[in-house]
């Protein structure tokens, strides 16, 4: 039997979709036939470019600017998305934010902002997605995929990354909890933990030269690409992965196993 | 002889216990006082209960004070430590025990109640431990023996119990926070450890559940009963005592084998 990654007739929403992993997921969904809602916070031109790519595939695209940490805006975005697109079948909670600082001497406002986006924002995204998918269940459209983009940091902590790492481990647990609560509606909730991926977000913390050097510390001797993560995302959001729920998948080139004492 | 030594093991130490006015927290306060510590009973909105625990500590001949604050108020937590240092000189032992919970599925939660649980159980623990850590590091640099930090987690950190998403999320987050704090405090030899209690017989459980369902629940636990607050307090005493010097960033589960007993059940068994 040939694998089925066809998403024709599905509507997907991706948060943080203007750049990096979110952008590639949005484009990959469109290539597979889905209509896509592109959420972003800061990079309007990039978000519009992603929407253009989606339309080039012959799919509908909708761009919504909104900070995932802002509850009221999130509720408005979901309402508008459903009103415009009709349904919501796939939601990828991808948006994240990080400030690196040691715990000793940390600035609480920075710490809080990381939690607000990376933890609370994922809660908002998943809760609003679940509420819509349950409504759809009751009107006969059964199913739905909720995918949380977590991080290998959930399993291997990194010095100066406490808020981000805590948020990531916490949203894995949210995903597992929601899987137990949504199985009766046939909604799959899963977690994806990418390793170190070559994205614009990463360059904020490490220069390209530094990243090339650090890539040698990984078992796979290179960083991952957004395409490699997007293909895992497509798989988990396709009917091929209907039996996955509450699972955590880790495409990381051996990142976790590469951690040793020096 | 050994008993006398144990009774005075924490003599001269100053302990702060959040959520110290009731349940597990109050048992921890008493256990630390019995071991010789002076204790700060930190809790929120329960002045009578806090006063009663303070009285019990004082009856053991130890010093005690009640601090009524909400641990989500970072400035209030910082002020508490300033007051404790003014009154008692140092902060040696921190037990982050304050918690709240709500029982509702994610689709039925309001963000306000979800946020409240995360704010108390997670952010409150961060404030309590991180602000204490800053002072403990200074104390080590001033030549005082390193402090001890104990975080009270939950088996919810290990199993994502349905209907408790915000609590699950917060408890797993502080399990990991313990690793982060342990890593940063290791150079100062300040130990940071976590206890994940199972189902403990506290007044709160009797408010949440009928006596009948508590009896049923106890029967489902391999140990054939709920845990006692004193049993968690005993582990805290162990973690802050002289027998522990190399354990840090670790997590101890105390659940009467509840987690190992999780198993599949046929639907009719539930009815």
């Amino acid at each position: 039997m040939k694998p089925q990654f066809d998403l024709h007739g599905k509507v997907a929403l991706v948060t943080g979709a203007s750049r990096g992993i979110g952008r590639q997921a949005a484009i990959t969904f469109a290539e597979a036939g889905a209509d896509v809602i592109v959420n972003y916070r800061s990079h309007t031109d990039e978000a519009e470019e992603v929407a253009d790519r989606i339309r080039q595939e012959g799919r509908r695209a909708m761009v919504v600017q909104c900070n995932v940490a802002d509850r009221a805006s999130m509720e408005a975005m979901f309402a508008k998305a459903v009103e415009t697109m009709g349904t919501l079948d796939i939601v990828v909670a991808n948006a994240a934010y990080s400030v690196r600082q040691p715990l000793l001497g940390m600035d609480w406002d920075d710490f809080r902002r990381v939690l607000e986006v990376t933890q609370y924002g994922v809660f908002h995204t998943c809760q609003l997605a679940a509420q819509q998918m349950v409504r759809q269940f009751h009107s006969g459209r059964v199913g739905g995929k909720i995918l949380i983009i977590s991080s290998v940091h959930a399993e291997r902590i990194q010095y100066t990354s406490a808020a981000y790492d805590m948020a990531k481990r916490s949203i894995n647990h949210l995903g597992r909890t929601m899987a137990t609560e949504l199985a009766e509606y046939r909604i799959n909730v899963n977690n994806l933990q990418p390793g170190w991926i070559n994205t614009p977000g990463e360059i904020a913390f490490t220069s390209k030269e530094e990243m090339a050097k650090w890539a040698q510390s990984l078992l796979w001797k290179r960083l991952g690409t957004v395409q490699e993560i997007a293909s895992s995302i497509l798989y988990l959001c396709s009917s091929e992965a209907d039996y996955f729920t509450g699972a955590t998948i880790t495409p990381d080139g051996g990142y976790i196993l590469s951690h040793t004492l020096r | 002889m050994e008993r006398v030594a144990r009774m005075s093991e924490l003599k001269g130490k100053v302990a702060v216990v959040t959520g110290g006015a009731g349940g597990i927290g109050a048992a921890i306060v008493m256990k630390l006082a019995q071991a010789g510590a002076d204790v700060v009973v930190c809790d929120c909105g329960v002045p009578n209960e806090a006063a009663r625990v303070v009285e019990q500590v004082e009856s053991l001949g130890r010093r005690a004070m009640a601090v009524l604050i909400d641990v989500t108020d970072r400035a209030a937590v910082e002020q508490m430590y300033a007051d404790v240092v003014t009154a008692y000189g140092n902060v040696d032992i921190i037990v982050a025990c304050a918690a709240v919970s709500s029982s509702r599925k994610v689709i039925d939660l309001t963000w306000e109640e979800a946020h409240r649980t995360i704010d108390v159980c997670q952010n409150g623990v961060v404030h309590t431990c991180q602000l204490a850590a800053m002072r403990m590091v200074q104390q080590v640099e001033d030549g005082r023996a390193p402090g001890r930090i104990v975080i009270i987690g939950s088996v919810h950190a290990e199993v994502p119990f349905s209907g408790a998403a915000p609590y699950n999320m917060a408890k797993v987050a502080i399990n990991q926070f313990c690793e982060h704090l342990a890593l940063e405090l290791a150079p100062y030899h300040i130990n940071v450890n976590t206890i994940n209690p199972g189902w403990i017989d506290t007044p709160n459980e009797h408010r949440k559940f009928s006596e009948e369902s508590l009896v049923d629940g106890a029967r489902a636990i391999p140990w054939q009963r709920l845990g006692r607050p004193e049993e968690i307090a005993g582990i805290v005493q162990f973690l802050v005592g002289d027998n522990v010097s190399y354990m840090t960033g670790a997590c101890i589960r105390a659940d009467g084998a509840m987690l190992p007993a999780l198993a599949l059940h046929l639907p009719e068994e539930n009815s």
Side-chain angles (χ1 to χ4, degrees):
Chain A
M1 223 168 64
K2 257 172 69 180
Q4 295 294 317
F5 299 112
D6 182 23
L7 300 183
H8 279 89
K10 305 286 185 191
V11 177
L13 183 152
V14 182
T15 66
S18 63
R19 309 169 77 185
I21 291 169
R23 170 186 189 275
Q24 192 60 42
I27 292 169
T28 303
F29 283 156
E31 287 168 354
D35 298 327
V36 187
I37 298 131
V38 176
N39 160 264
Y40 76 102
R41 188 188 58 180
S42 310
H43 304 280
T44 308
D45 292 347
E46 285 99 324
E48 291 296 346
E49 190 260 340
V50 174
D52 287 343
R53 289 283 298 273
I54 292 163
R55 291 185 193 108
Q56 279 165 27
E57 295 295 329
R59 309 316 322 162
R60 290 186 297 165
M62 176 179 168
V63 176
V64 186
Q65 195 267 334
C66 135
N67 180 354
V68 294
D70 181 340
R71 178 74 192 191
S73 306
M74 287 293 279
E75 288 175 3
M77 176 176 78
F78 273 82
K80 198 175 150 200
V82 172
E83 193 193 313
T84 309
M85 304 297 236
T87 60
L88 210 46
D89 305 295
I90 297 167
V91 171
V92 179
N94 168 68
Y97 173 71
S98 183
V99 177
R100 300 255 171 105
Q101 55 174 349
L103 278 174
L104 291 171
M106 63 103 143
D107 181 285
W108 172 248
D109 286 335
D110 282 336
F111 198 95
R112 183 176 47 76
R113 268 191 286 274
V114 173
L115 296 177
E116 281 173 353
V117 175
T118 315
Q119 184 185 35
Y120 305 174
V122 170
F123 181 91
H124 299 323
T125 306
C126 293
Q127 186 192 34
L128 293 166
Q131 287 170 340
Q132 173 58 26
M133 289 172 184
V134 168
R135 276 193 291 272
Q136 290 172 188
F137 174 89
H138 289 302
S139 58
R141 193 177 177 94
V142 175
K145 308 277 185 193
I146 297 174
L147 183 63
I148 293 172
I149 306 302
S150 180
S151 164
V152 281
H153 283 225
E155 291 189 34
R156 280 282 169 275
I157 66 165
Q158 185 170 334
Y159 175 66
T160 73
S161 188
Y164 181 84
D165 299 3
M166 286 166 65
K168 290 297 191 181
R169 192 178 289 187
S170 182
I171 59 177
N172 279 347
H173 223 36
L174 171 67
R176 285 188 285 263
T177 309
M178 290 183 70
T180 71
E181 296 175 0
L182 297 172
E184 63 178 298
Y185 305 104
R186 287 289 173 262
I187 298 167
N188 307 78
V189 190
N190 292 296
N191 307 312
L192 187 80
Q193 300 185 142
W196 201 350
I197 311 305
N198 194 351
T199 64
E202 280 306 313
I203 293 167
F205 298 110
T206 317
S207 71
K208 272 188 171 160
E209 295 70 33
E210 282 286 298
M211 282 205 310
K213 214 161 68 188
W214 275 105
Q216 295 306 310
S217 70
L218 300 175
L219 285 184
W220 219 248
K221 303 290 181 202
R222 65 167 175 82
L223 302 190
T225 67
V226 290
Q227 288 80 5
E228 286 169 313
I229 301 309
S231 64
S232 301
I233 292 172
L234 174 61
Y235 171 63
L236 287 166
C237 294
S238 75
S239 59
E240 288 296 312
D242 277 352
Y243 203 56
F244 278 80
T245 202
T248 300
I249 315 300
T250 308
D252 75 340
Y255 176 97
I256 289 173
L257 295 176
S258 305
H259 283 64
T260 57
L261 277 179
R262 261 204 288 179
Chain B
M1 197 49 198
E2 197 201 335
R3 186 172 171 76
V4 173
R6 215 168 47 225
M7 289 291 284
S8 59
E9 191 180 17
L10 301 180
K11 205 164 186 313
K13 302 286 185 193
V14 178
V16 176
V17 181
T18 68
I24 297 172
I28 293 168
V29 168
M30 293 315 295
K31 194 73 90 177
L32 297 179
Q34 283 158 9
D38 297 323
V39 190
V40 178
V41 179
C42 169
D43 216 311
C44 182
V46 283
N48 297 335
E49 287 84 343
R52 202 173 317 133
V53 176
V54 165
E55 242 170 67
Q56 287 169 356
V57 172
E58 285 171 341
S59 74
L60 294 171
R62 311 307 336 158
R63 292 184 294 180
M65 64 194 252
V67 177
L68 294 167
I69 57 167
D70 187 326
V71 290
T72 65
D73 182 346
R74 186 170 169 86
V77 175
E78 176 55 22
Q79 186 60 49
M80 169 178 71
Y81 288 134
D83 294 345
V84 169
V85 169
T86 303
Y88 296 157
N90 296 287
V91 180
D92 300 300
I93 294 166
I94 299 297
V95 184
C97 185
V100 296
S101 69
S102 57
S103 314
R104 239 201 277 253
K105 290 185 176 181
V106 168
I107 53 170
D108 299 322
L109 279 167
T110 65
W111 170 238
E112 286 65 34
E113 64 185 313
H115 178 257
R116 175 67 187 161
T117 300
I118 294 172
D119 209 17
V120 173
C121 300
Q122 172 187 294
N123 301 345
V125 170
V126 172
H127 300 321
T128 302
C129 298
Q130 188 261 346
L131 290 170
M134 300 290 288
R135 289 177 181 274
M136 286 177 172
V137 166
Q138 188 56 50
Q139 288 174 190
V140 170
E141 281 169 352
D142 294 343
R144 191 168 174 88
R148 301 291 177 93
I149 297 174
V150 179
I151 293 168
I152 306 300
S154 165
V155 284
H156 283 249
E158 298 177 53
V159 176
F161 290 103
S162 193
Y167 191 76
N168 299 342
M169 290 172 74
K171 290 296 187 180
V172 82
I174 61 170
N175 268 209
Q176 201 203 43
F177 172 72
C178 169
E179 293 178 30
H180 276 283
L181 197 58
L183 179 64
E184 287 199 36
L185 295 179
Y188 308 96
H189 288 192
I190 298 167
N191 309 55
V192 190
N193 291 295
T194 301
I195 302 168
N196 281 347
W199 198 357
I200 308 301
D201 192 354
T202 62
N204 216 10
E205 297 304 311
H206 289 268
R207 278 192 288 274
K208 264 169 39 190
F209 300 99
S210 69
E211 292 306 309
E212 197 191 359
S213 54
L214 286 174
V215 169
D216 284 348
R219 230 179 263 135
I221 296 168
W223 214 255
Q224 295 290 295
R225 62 169 173 81
L226 271 54
R228 301 183 182 115
E230 296 73 26
E231 290 172 311
I232 303 307
I235 303 168
V236 173
Q237 186 186 358
F238 165 69
L239 287 174
V240 303
D242 295 336
N243 282 315
V244 168
S245 49
Y246 200 59
M247 187 192 289
T248 195
C251 181
I252 296 174
R253 169 155 39 84
D255 70 344
M258 180 205 265
L259 258 51
L262 296 179
L264 286 176
H265 298 284
L266 292 171
E268 53 264 34
E269 286 183 24
N270 291 333
S271 60

